Amino acid sequence: VPSVAREDLTDVIYQKAVGEGIAKITINRPDKRNAFRPRTVTEMSLCFADARDDPSIGVVILTGAGDLAFCSGGDQSVRGKGGYVGADGVPRLNVLDLQMQIRRLPKPVVAAVAGYAVGGGHILHMVCDLTIAADNAVFGQTGPKVGSFDAGYGSTHMARLVGQKRAREMWFLARLYGAAEAERMGLVNKVVPLRELEPETLAWCRQILSNSPTALRLLKSALNAAEDGQAGIQQLGGDATMLFYQSEEGNEGREAYLSGRRPDFSRFPRLP
Ligand code: 2NE
């Protein structure tokens, strides 16, 4: 995918609250109800990568510009045969990679939803760890109406969130659901008046930030591992390796190798 530099962002606004530990990614195509084109997704991906790598960031907010929409999914005006077409003329479904990136990000991601979260935009909020919704939020899958679907997380993760019957209802009927109903269905953590969306989201982020980042990281990995098969275990396993590399026992092996001696693991307890 053609790369974009941070200073060249056009479709996304990226902000970091200095000293707060919070990064905010805002999809900024309000005239299109924040529909994404390939470039929008590339830009979001760049911002998520920065938030992941920045050790001062502990939580990421994903939201949409304006009050009318979080995101209305793939931009149908650039949909071609085989995917959504950007400046390079190549059809892509790069939002699927973005879903994986959000899922794998070892820091909590909070969706702040005002207005429509529909189609691929609904899936983006579902793959975030938490969702805070304004009372004007509207949720649903529109794909079957426009000849599209997401048979990945968009279907299977949804079923984990709302149950099989409701997931089939959401996809087969392509209805839209208000914020209160979405909360009852388990799609949303909390609904607040529109004017309280930002302060409420920040309050949740600050409470998250007061907790152990490593505990949160391992919890996210474990919750993913229960759903994501080998790929989920790989994430949880990677976190275990990261912790082991920080231990004396792990470092004894490396130091012994580098100094050409036999490792001595005898001082490390075999805990029950
Ligand atoms: C979102 C919704 C319900 C909003 O309705 P409303 O009445 O508030 O606004 P309106 O007038 O429909 O939209 C305002 C402008 O935004 C554009 C519209 O065409 C309109 O443009 P103008 O007439 O002002 O020029 N717009 C909105 N959504 C757009 C979109 N997704 N693509 C391109 N232009 C869009 C209503 O707008 C709506 O239903 N939108 C379509 C939702 C949709 O079907 N999304 C695609 C689902 S498929 C998908 O996302 C997907 C997937 O299934 C699998 C992989 C990847 C992506």
Side-chain angles (χ1 to χ4, degrees):
V1 182
S3 63
V4 181
R6 238 180 93 180
E7 55 276 16
D8 295 333
L9 298 179
T10 57
D11 290 15
V12 160
I13 300 166
Y14 185 48
Q15 295 161 299
K16 293 197 260 191
V18 179
E20 271 262 55
I22 302 172
K24 185 164 115 177
I25 300 168
T26 305
I27 307 168
N28 189 27
R29 303 186 79 216
D31 293 345
K32 292 222 168 204
R33 298 293 184 270
N34 296 321
F36 54 77
R37 54 181 175 170
R39 183 184 176 103
T40 321
V41 173
T42 301
E43 290 188 12
M44 281 194 270
S45 179
L46 177 89
C47 299
F48 275 112
D50 179 272
R52 178 180 180 147
D53 282 353
D54 184 340
S56 76
I57 296 300
V59 61
V60 186
I61 297 170
L62 178 62
T63 194
D67 295 341
L68 298 181
F70 170 76
C71 176
S72 63
D75 185 333
Q76 298 305 296
S77 69
V78 299
R79 183 172 146 192
K81 289 186 175 166
Y84 296 82
V85 182
D88 62 0
V90 178
R92 299 177 192 284
L93 289 165
N94 57 343
V95 75
L96 304 179
D97 300 319
L98 181 70
Q99 294 169 10
M100 292 295 294
Q101 190 182 6
I102 295 171
R103 183 90 172 159
R104 285 296 189 95
L105 202 97
K107 302 172 183 179
V109 182
V110 182
V113 176
Y116 290 101
V118 298
H122 186 253
I123 298 160
L124 283 180
H125 102 84
M126 285 197 297
V127 297
C128 291
D129 298 295
L130 300 167
T131 298
I132 311 296
D135 51 10
N136 77 335
V138 177
F139 299 86
Q141 296 304 151
T142 54
K145 287 186 188 167
V146 295
S148 181
F149 60 90
D150 183 330
Y153 280 128
S155 305
T156 59
H157 184 54
M158 180 199 283
R160 304 258 183 170
L161 292 176
V162 302
Q164 283 284 341
K165 295 278 186 186
R166 280 291 205 170
R168 287 162 206 243
E169 174 189 316
M170 285 192 86
W171 274 106
F172 295 173
L173 281 72
R175 280 186 184 159
L176 300 180
Y177 302 81
E181 189 163 11
E183 190 178 25
R184 279 195 294 279
M185 288 162 70
L187 280 169
V188 163
N189 293 89
K190 186 162 186 190
V191 179
V192 294
L194 177 59
R195 68 180 177 285
E196 288 171 27
L197 181 61
E198 175 138 321
E200 184 71 19
T201 305
L202 288 172
W204 282 56
C205 289
R206 289 181 183 129
Q207 194 168 351
I208 289 168
L209 288 163
S210 70
N211 292 326
S212 155
T214 307
L216 302 186
R217 179 183 181 123
L218 270 288
L219 286 164
K220 179 163 177 173
S221 287
L223 290 164
N224 286 354
E227 292 188 358
D228 289 357
Q230 272 193 314
I233 293 167
Q234 196 247 9
Q235 181 182 10
L236 186 59
D239 284 354
T241 304
M242 179 196 76
L243 291 177
F244 188 55
Y245 272 24
Q246 296 175 44
S247 73
E248 270 191 58
E249 184 179 345
N251 282 303
E252 165 61 15
R254 183 200 57 177
E255 281 161 21
Y257 174 77
L258 290 177
S259 56
R261 64 173 169 81
R262 278 174 181 271
D264 176 10
F265 293 112
S266 63
R267 68 181 187 281
F268 302 109
R270 294 182 173 85
L271 297 176

